[in-house]
Amino acid sequence: MSALSFIRDYGDISSEDSDSPCEEITSKKLKLPPPNLSKVSTVLTEEHKDDPTLHAGRIRSFPHVRGNWATFVYVKYPQEDAVLHLINKLKDLVLSVDKSCQICDNIHLSLSRTVVLQYHLITTFTTTLQTALNNIDSFDLQFDAIELYSNDDNTRTFIALKADHFSKRYLLRISKKVDEVLKEFKLQPFYKEPSFHSSILWVNGNKKSNFEGILDQLNRILAKEIENNLRAVLIDRVQCQIGNKYFQFSLS
């Protein structure tokens, strides 16, 4: 019971005695001490304001709402020396076109869109996802091309490494399992024809046309790195980020 529920309004109290007609008893209002609210929990309402200047101009895709957690499923790519060496080579060329180029923080391949999950569903969602991924085989991941992408709201352009044909078969199988879970929770599934890729560089705005002229050069750099340094890597787990929480699901 809330402490505020102990506050009562006491009015005049009168009684009429049949043995003493016309006798009036006048009562005084009773004054109760103020309720002790020291142990009542309170929640402060905070207004979240998105400031693009704090994250290199990136714009939030959907507004921040308390209790809603941004969620996506992905495969993490180990940032080995060979990959970082390739990224730096590509960045030099991309910078010649757009000086605002940035290296992506987390090298990964998305297996879902970013969706909104309510806090109380986190445990059920992750448990369901683990069950769905049981008996999925681990596989070797390799890239074979560089592609240009823009996000759904055209606020960023990405230079990305595209997964090869053999990797795509495994990634497609996993993403279909993830889609089944998303549909069960009434969340938006992945793209109908996903292009599995790992974004490595980005610039603000939709500037795909700006980089089409150097795309062949970027792919020649990649081909040389694949020949000399960039090897296939074993993928034996799937990751899920929900807000600031991280979950891992092992593959067979």
Side-chain angles (χ1 to χ4, degrees):
M1 179 178 293
S2 169
L4 294 175
S5 64
F6 288 103
I7 300 177
R8 296 178 182 274
D9 183 16
Y10 285 82
D12 290 341
I13 302 176
S14 63
S15 65
E16 184 175 335
D17 191 335
S18 58
D19 295 331
S20 304
C22 301
E23 181 181 357
E24 182 175 328
I25 301 176
T26 304
S27 68
K28 298 180 180 180
K29 281 190 176 181
L30 301 178
K31 292 184 179 181
L32 297 179
N36 180 9
L37 301 179
S38 62
K39 295 184 179 180
V40 178
S41 61
T42 58
V43 178
L44 299 178
T45 301
E46 297 179 359
E47 182 182 357
H48 181 91
K49 294 184 179 180
D50 188 40
D51 186 355
T53 62
L54 298 179
H55 33 78
R58 287 174 290 180
I59 300 173
R60 181 184 289 274
S61 299
F62 45 81
H64 173 85
V65 178
R66 184 184 296 278
N68 288 349
W69 291 54
T71 302
F72 78 106
V73 183
Y74 62 99
V75 167
K76 184 174 177 62
Y77 188 86
Q79 296 189 35
E80 299 174 346
D81 292 341
V83 177
L84 295 176
H85 180 68
L86 168 64
I87 291 173
N88 286 322
K89 277 192 171 183
L90 297 174
K91 183 181 179 183
D92 289 340
L93 183 54
V94 173
L95 281 171
S96 68
V97 177
D98 194 313
K99 298 297 184 184
S100 68
C101 173
Q102 301 283 335
I103 296 177
C104 294
D105 296 330
N106 180 20
I107 307 301
H108 68 275
L109 291 90
S110 294
L111 297 172
S112 77
R113 302 173 190 258
T114 299
V115 296
V116 177
L117 186 69
Q118 293 185 327
Y119 177 79
H120 70 278
L121 295 175
I122 291 176
T123 299
T124 307
F125 180 84
T126 53
T127 301
T128 305
L129 188 57
Q130 176 64 83
T131 301
L133 295 176
N134 285 341
N135 302 319
I136 298 290
D137 293 333
S138 56
F139 63 98
D140 288 329
L141 172 65
Q142 181 60 290
F143 301 111
D144 64 357
I146 290 178
E147 293 283 357
L148 304 174
Y149 297 89
S150 60
N151 57 0
D152 290 340
D153 48 10
N154 290 315
T155 58
R156 283 197 286 171
T157 300
F158 299 92
I159 292 86
L161 301 173
K162 189 175 180 180
D164 69 6
H165 174 73
F166 297 103
S167 304
K168 182 179 178 180
R169 290 167 52 191
Y170 289 93
L171 292 166
L172 189 59
R173 183 183 177 192
I174 297 172
S175 69
K176 286 182 177 179
K177 292 291 186 180
V178 174
D179 271 353
E180 292 174 3
V181 176
L182 293 171
K183 289 177 182 178
E184 184 175 340
F185 285 80
K186 294 180 172 56
L187 299 173
Q188 187 178 21
F190 205 29
Y191 302 99
K192 288 185 177 180
E193 297 182 2
S195 176
F196 298 105
H197 62 275
S198 180
S199 297
I200 54 175
L201 299 167
W202 65 272
V203 298
N204 281 316
N206 187 344
K207 300 177 182 177
K208 290 171 64 176
S209 60
N210 295 19
F211 298 106
E212 289 174 352
I214 64 169
L215 189 55
D216 286 343
Q217 291 175 264
L218 293 171
N219 273 295
R220 283 197 291 269
I221 294 173
L222 173 62
K224 187 173 181 179
E225 290 299 310
I226 290 175
E227 182 180 351
N228 296 327
N229 300 309
L230 194 60
R231 309 300 180 191
V233 294
L234 177 66
I235 301 298
D236 60 1
R237 63 196 63 194
V238 171
Q239 283 79 19
C240 177
Q241 181 176 346
I242 304 177
N244 60 357
K245 299 178 182 292
Y246 294 84
F247 303 86
Q248 287 192 139
F249 310 97
S250 298
L251 302 177
S252 301

